[in-house]
Coordinates of all heavy atoms in Angstrom, one line a residue:
F40 N 0.8 -1.2 0.0 CA 0.0 0.0 0.0 C 0.9 1.3 0.0 O 0.3 2.4 -0.1 CB -1.0 0.0 1.2 CG -2.1 -1.0 1.1 CD1 -2.0 -2.2 1.6 CD2 -3.2 -0.6 0.3 CE1 -3.1 -3.1 1.5 CE2 -4.2 -1.5 0.1 CZ -4.2 -2.8 0.7
Q41 N 2.2 1.1 0.1 CA 3.1 2.3 0.1 C 3.6 2.6 -1.3 O 3.7 3.7 -1.7 CB 4.3 2.0 1.1 CG 3.9 2.3 2.6 CD 3.0 1.2 3.1 OE1 3.2 0.0 3.0 NE2 2.0 1.7 3.8
Q42 N 4.0 1.5 -2.0 CA 4.5 1.7 -3.3 C 4.5 0.5 -4.1 O 4.4 -0.6 -3.6 CB 6.0 2.2 -3.3 CG 7.0 1.2 -2.7 CD 8.4 1.6 -2.6 OE1 8.7 2.8 -2.5 NE2 9.3 0.7 -2.8
E43 N 4.5 0.6 -5.5 CA 4.4 -0.5 -6.3 C 5.7 -1.4 -6.2 O 6.8 -0.8 -6.0 CB 4.3 -0.1 -7.8 CG 4.3 -1.2 -8.8 CD 4.2 -0.6 -10.2 OE1 3.1 -0.4 -10.7 OE2 5.3 -0.4 -10.8
L44 N 5.6 -2.7 -6.3 CA 6.7 -3.6 -6.3 C 7.6 -3.2 -7.5 O 7.2 -3.0 -8.6 CB 6.2 -5.0 -6.5 CG 7.3 -6.1 -6.5 CD1 7.9 -6.3 -5.1 CD2 6.8 -7.4 -7.1
L45 N 8.9 -3.0 -7.2 CA 9.9 -2.5 -8.2 C 9.9 -3.4 -9.4 O 10.0 -2.9 -10.6 CB 11.2 -2.4 -7.6 CG 11.4 -1.3 -6.5 CD1 12.8 -1.3 -5.9 CD2 11.0 0.1 -7.1
N46 N 9.9 -4.7 -9.3 CA 10.0 -5.6 -10.4 C 8.6 -6.2 -10.8 O 8.5 -7.4 -11.2 CB 11.0 -6.7 -10.2 CG 10.6 -7.6 -9.0 OD1 9.9 -7.2 -8.1 ND2 11.0 -8.9 -9.1
L47 N 7.5 -5.4 -10.6 CA 6.2 -6.0 -10.8 C 6.0 -6.5 -12.2 O 5.5 -7.6 -12.4 CB 5.1 -4.9 -10.5 CG 3.7 -5.3 -10.7 CD1 3.3 -6.5 -9.8 CD2 2.8 -4.1 -10.4
D48 N 6.4 -5.8 -13.2 CA 6.2 -6.2 -14.6 C 6.9 -7.5 -14.9 O 6.3 -8.4 -15.5 CB 6.7 -5.1 -15.6 CG 5.9 -3.9 -15.4 OD1 4.9 -3.7 -16.1 OD2 6.3 -3.0 -14.6
E49 N 8.1 -7.6 -14.4 CA 8.9 -8.9 -14.6 C 8.3 -10.1 -13.9 O 8.2 -11.2 -14.4 CB 10.4 -8.7 -14.1 CG 11.2 -7.7 -14.9 CD 10.9 -6.2 -14.5 OE1 10.1 -6.0 -13.6 OE2 11.6 -5.4 -15.1
L50 N 7.8 -9.8 -12.7 CA 7.2 -10.9 -11.9 C 5.9 -11.4 -12.6 O 5.7 -12.6 -12.7 CB 6.9 -10.5 -10.5 CG 6.1 -11.5 -9.6 CD1 6.9 -12.8 -9.4 CD2 5.7 -10.9 -8.3
L51 N 5.0 -10.5 -13.0 CA 3.8 -10.8 -13.6 C 4.1 -11.6 -14.9 O 3.4 -12.6 -15.2 CB 3.0 -9.6 -14.0 CG 2.4 -8.8 -12.7 CD1 1.7 -7.6 -13.2 CD2 1.5 -9.7 -11.9
F52 N 5.1 -11.2 -15.7 CA 5.4 -11.9 -16.9 C 5.9 -13.3 -16.6 O 5.5 -14.2 -17.3 CB 6.5 -11.1 -17.7 CG 6.9 -11.8 -19.0 CD1 6.1 -11.7 -20.1 CD2 8.1 -12.4 -19.0 CE1 6.5 -12.3 -21.3 CE2 8.5 -13.1 -20.2 CZ 7.7 -13.0 -21.3
D53 N 6.8 -13.4 -15.6 CA 7.3 -14.7 -15.3 C 6.2 -15.7 -14.8 O 6.2 -16.8 -15.2 CB 8.4 -14.5 -14.2 CG 9.1 -15.8 -13.8 OD1 9.9 -16.3 -14.7 OD2 8.8 -16.4 -12.8
M54 N 5.3 -15.2 -14.0 CA 4.2 -16.0 -13.6 C 3.3 -16.4 -14.7 O 2.9 -17.6 -14.8 CB 3.4 -15.3 -12.5 CG 4.2 -15.0 -11.2 SD 3.2 -14.3 -9.9 CE 2.2 -15.8 -9.4
Q55 N 3.1 -15.5 -15.6 CA 2.2 -15.9 -16.8 C 2.9 -16.9 -17.7 O 2.3 -17.8 -18.2 CB 1.9 -14.6 -17.6 CG 0.9 -13.7 -16.8 CD 0.8 -12.3 -17.4 OE1 1.3 -12.0 -18.5 NE2 0.3 -11.4 -16.6
V56 N 4.2 -16.8 -17.8 CA 5.0 -17.8 -18.6 C 4.9 -19.2 -18.0 O 4.8 -20.2 -18.7 CB 6.4 -17.4 -18.7 CG1 7.3 -18.5 -19.3 CG2 6.6 -16.1 -19.7
K57 N 4.8 -19.2 -16.6 CA 4.8 -20.5 -15.9 C 3.3 -21.0 -15.8 O 3.1 -22.0 -15.2 CB 5.3 -20.3 -14.5 CG 6.8 -20.1 -14.5 CD 7.4 -19.9 -13.1 CE 8.9 -19.8 -13.2 NZ 9.6 -19.5 -11.9
G58 N 2.4 -20.3 -16.4 CA 1.0 -20.8 -16.5 C 0.0 -20.3 -15.5 O -1.1 -20.7 -15.5
Y59 N 0.5 -19.3 -14.7 CA -0.4 -18.7 -13.7 C -1.2 -17.6 -14.4 O -0.7 -16.9 -15.3 CB 0.3 -18.1 -12.5 CG 1.0 -19.1 -11.6 CD1 2.4 -19.3 -11.6 CD2 0.2 -19.9 -10.8 CE1 3.0 -20.2 -10.7 CE2 0.8 -20.9 -9.9 CZ 2.2 -21.0 -9.9 OH 2.7 -21.9 -9.0
R60 N -2.5 -17.5 -14.0 CA -3.3 -16.3 -14.4 C -3.3 -15.4 -13.2 O -4.0 -15.6 -12.2 CB -4.7 -16.8 -14.8 CG -4.7 -17.8 -16.0 CD -6.1 -18.3 -16.2 NE -6.1 -19.2 -17.4 CZ -7.2 -19.8 -17.9 NH1 -8.4 -19.6 -17.2 NH2 -7.2 -20.6 -18.9
T61 N -2.7 -14.2 -13.4 CA -2.5 -13.3 -12.3 C -3.7 -12.4 -12.2 O -4.2 -11.8 -13.1 CB -1.2 -12.5 -12.5 OG1 -1.2 -11.9 -13.8 CG2 0.0 -13.4 -12.4
I62 N -4.1 -12.2 -10.9 CA -5.2 -11.3 -10.6 C -4.7 -10.3 -9.5 O -4.2 -10.7 -8.5 CB -6.4 -12.0 -10.0 CG1 -7.0 -13.1 -11.0 CG2 -7.5 -11.0 -9.6 CD1 -8.1 -13.9 -10.4
L63 N -4.7 -9.0 -9.8 CA -4.3 -8.0 -8.9 C -5.5 -7.7 -8.0 O -6.5 -7.2 -8.4 CB -3.8 -6.7 -9.6 CG -3.1 -5.7 -8.8 CD1 -1.8 -6.3 -8.1 CD2 -2.8 -4.5 -9.6
A64 N -5.2 -7.9 -6.6 CA -6.3 -7.6 -5.7 C -6.5 -6.2 -5.5 O -5.5 -5.4 -5.4 CB -5.9 -8.3 -4.3
H65 N -7.8 -5.8 -5.4 CA -8.2 -4.4 -5.1 C -7.2 -3.3 -5.6 O -6.7 -2.5 -4.8 CB -8.5 -4.2 -3.7 CG -7.5 -4.8 -2.7 ND1 -6.2 -4.3 -2.6 CD2 -7.7 -5.7 -1.7 CE1 -5.6 -5.0 -1.7 NE2 -6.4 -5.8 -1.1
P66 N -7.0 -3.2 -6.9 CA -6.0 -2.1 -7.4 C -6.5 -0.7 -7.1 O -5.7 0.2 -7.0 CB -6.0 -2.4 -8.9 CG -7.2 -3.1 -9.2 CD -7.5 -4.0 -8.0
E67 N -7.8 -0.6 -6.9 CA -8.4 0.8 -6.6 C -7.9 1.3 -5.2 O -7.9 2.5 -5.0 CB -9.9 0.7 -6.6 CG -10.6 0.1 -5.4 CD -10.6 -1.4 -5.4 OE1 -10.0 -2.0 -6.4 OE2 -11.2 -2.0 -4.5
R68 N -7.3 0.4 -4.4 CA -6.9 0.8 -3.0 C -5.5 1.3 -3.0 O -5.0 1.8 -2.0 CB -7.1 -0.3 -2.0 CG -8.6 -0.6 -1.8 CD -8.8 -1.7 -0.7 NE -8.2 -1.2 0.5 CZ -7.9 -2.0 1.6 NH1 -8.1 -3.3 1.5 NH2 -7.3 -1.5 2.7
Y69 N -4.7 1.1 -4.1 CA -3.3 1.6 -4.1 C -3.3 3.0 -4.6 O -3.3 3.3 -5.8 CB -2.5 0.7 -5.1 CG -2.7 -0.8 -4.8 CD1 -3.0 -1.7 -5.8 CD2 -2.5 -1.3 -3.5 CE1 -3.1 -3.0 -5.5 CE2 -2.7 -2.6 -3.2 CZ -3.0 -3.5 -4.2 OH -3.1 -4.8 -4.0
N70 N -3.4 4.0 -3.6 CA -3.6 5.4 -3.9 C -2.5 6.0 -4.8 O -2.7 7.0 -5.4 CB -3.8 6.2 -2.7 CG -5.1 5.8 -2.0 OD1 -6.1 5.4 -2.6 ND2 -5.2 6.1 -0.7
Y71 N -1.3 5.3 -4.8 CA -0.2 5.9 -5.6 C -0.5 5.8 -7.1 O 0.2 6.4 -7.9 CB 1.1 5.2 -5.3 CG 1.1 3.7 -5.1 CD1 1.2 2.9 -6.2 CD2 1.0 3.1 -3.9 CE1 1.2 1.5 -6.1 CE2 1.0 1.7 -3.7 CZ 1.1 0.9 -4.9 OH 1.1 -0.4 -4.8
Y72 N -1.5 5.0 -7.5 CA -1.9 4.9 -8.9 C -3.0 5.9 -9.2 O -3.3 6.1 -10.4 CB -2.5 3.5 -9.2 CG -1.5 2.4 -9.2 CD1 -1.9 1.1 -8.7 CD2 -0.3 2.5 -9.8 CE1 -1.0 0.1 -8.8 CE2 0.6 1.5 -9.9 CZ 0.3 0.2 -9.4 OH 1.1 -0.8 -9.5
S73 N -3.6 6.5 -8.3 CA -4.8 7.3 -8.5 C -4.6 8.5 -9.5 O -5.5 8.9 -10.2 CB -5.5 7.8 -7.2 OG -4.6 8.7 -6.5
R74 N -3.4 9.0 -9.5 CA -3.1 10.1 -10.4 C -2.2 9.7 -11.6 O -1.7 10.6 -12.3 CB -2.4 11.3 -9.6 CG -3.3 11.9 -8.6 CD -2.6 13.0 -7.8 NE -3.5 13.6 -6.8 CZ -3.7 13.1 -5.6 NH1 -3.2 12.0 -5.3 NH2 -4.6 13.8 -4.8
R75 N -2.0 8.4 -11.7 CA -1.3 7.9 -12.9 C -2.0 6.7 -13.4 O -1.5 5.6 -13.4 CB 0.2 7.6 -12.5 CG 0.4 6.9 -11.2 CD 1.9 6.9 -10.8 NE 2.7 6.0 -11.7 CZ 3.2 4.9 -11.3 NH1 2.9 4.4 -10.1 NH2 3.9 4.2 -12.1
R76 N -3.2 6.9 -13.9 CA -4.1 5.8 -14.3 C -3.6 5.1 -15.6 O -4.1 4.0 -15.9 CB -5.5 6.2 -14.4 CG -6.1 6.5 -13.0 CD -7.5 7.0 -13.0 NE -8.1 7.0 -11.6 CZ -9.1 7.7 -11.3 NH1 -9.7 8.5 -12.2 NH2 -9.5 7.7 -10.0
K77 N -2.7 5.7 -16.3 CA -2.1 5.1 -17.4 C -1.4 3.8 -17.0 O -1.3 2.8 -17.8 CB -1.1 6.0 -18.2 CG -1.8 7.1 -19.0 CD -2.4 6.5 -20.2 CE -3.0 7.6 -21.1 NZ -3.7 7.0 -22.3
R78 N -0.9 3.8 -15.8 CA -0.2 2.6 -15.3 C -1.2 1.5 -15.1 O -0.9 0.3 -15.4 CB 0.4 2.9 -13.9 CG 1.2 1.8 -13.3 CD 2.3 1.2 -14.2 NE 3.1 0.2 -13.5 CZ 3.7 -0.8 -14.1 NH1 3.6 -0.9 -15.4 NH2 4.4 -1.7 -13.5
Y79 N -2.4 1.8 -14.7 CA -3.5 0.7 -14.6 C -3.6 0.1 -16.0 O -3.7 -1.1 -16.1 CB -4.8 1.4 -14.2 CG -5.0 1.6 -12.7 CD1 -5.6 2.8 -12.3 CD2 -4.6 0.7 -11.8 CE1 -5.8 3.1 -11.0 CE2 -4.8 1.0 -10.4 CZ -5.4 2.2 -10.0 OH -5.6 2.4 -8.7
E80 N -3.7 1.0 -17.0 CA -3.9 0.5 -18.4 C -2.8 -0.4 -18.8 O -3.0 -1.4 -19.5 CB -4.1 1.6 -19.3 CG -5.4 2.4 -19.1 CD -5.5 3.7 -19.9 OE1 -4.6 4.0 -20.6 OE2 -6.6 4.3 -19.9
Q81 N -1.5 0.0 -18.5 CA -0.4 -0.8 -18.8 C -0.4 -2.2 -18.2 O -0.2 -3.2 -18.9 CB 0.9 -0.1 -18.4 CG 1.3 1.2 -19.1 CD 2.4 1.9 -18.5 OE1 2.9 1.6 -17.4 NE2 2.9 3.0 -19.2
L82 N -0.8 -2.3 -17.0 CA -0.8 -3.5 -16.3 C -1.9 -4.4 -16.8 O -1.7 -5.6 -17.0 CB -1.0 -3.3 -14.8 CG 0.1 -2.7 -14.0 CD1 -0.3 -2.3 -12.6 CD2 1.3 -3.7 -13.9
H83 N -3.1 -3.8 -17.1 CA -4.2 -4.6 -17.6 C -3.9 -5.1 -19.0 O -4.2 -6.3 -19.3 CB -5.5 -3.7 -17.5 CG -6.7 -4.5 -17.5 ND1 -7.6 -4.5 -18.6 CD2 -7.3 -5.3 -16.6 CE1 -8.6 -5.3 -18.4 NE2 -8.5 -5.8 -17.1
N84 N -3.4 -4.2 -19.8 CA -3.0 -4.6 -21.2 C -2.0 -5.7 -21.2 O -1.9 -6.5 -22.2 CB -2.6 -3.4 -22.0 CG -3.7 -2.4 -22.3 OD1 -4.9 -2.8 -22.2 ND2 -3.3 -1.2 -22.5
A85 N -1.1 -5.8 -20.2 CA -0.1 -6.8 -20.1 C -0.6 -8.1 -19.6 O 0.2 -9.1 -19.5 CB 1.1 -6.3 -19.2

């Protein structure tokens, strides 16, 4: 809730390669995204 995981993109990609379907819990509660919603779109599109 303080900041995004530094290697979030790499972790999500690695998990997807291994066959996991990743679900981000309550992304609306991470207030550091509230003023940079393009980041939401990047994560969802990935």
Side-chain angles (χ1 to χ4, degrees):
F40 287 98
Q41 280 70 50
Q42 65 179 34
E43 179 183 271
L44 183 72
L45 292 177
N46 66 329
L47 179 59
D48 297 272
E49 292 83 356
L50 175 62
L51 293 175
F52 178 76
D53 186 71
M54 293 187 73
Q55 290 164 15
V56 168
K57 291 181 178 177
Y59 290 110
R60 297 178 178 179
T61 54
I62 303 174
L63 190 61
H65 45 61
E67 74 280 4
R68 293 185 60 197
Y69 309 129
N70 290 338
Y71 46 81
Y72 287 142
S73 63
R74 292 178 180 83
R75 45 191 289 253
R76 287 178 173 160
K77 284 290 183 184
R78 181 58 175 150
Y79 281 138
E80 295 175 351
Q81 290 172 353
L82 291 170
H83 201 251
N84 290 338

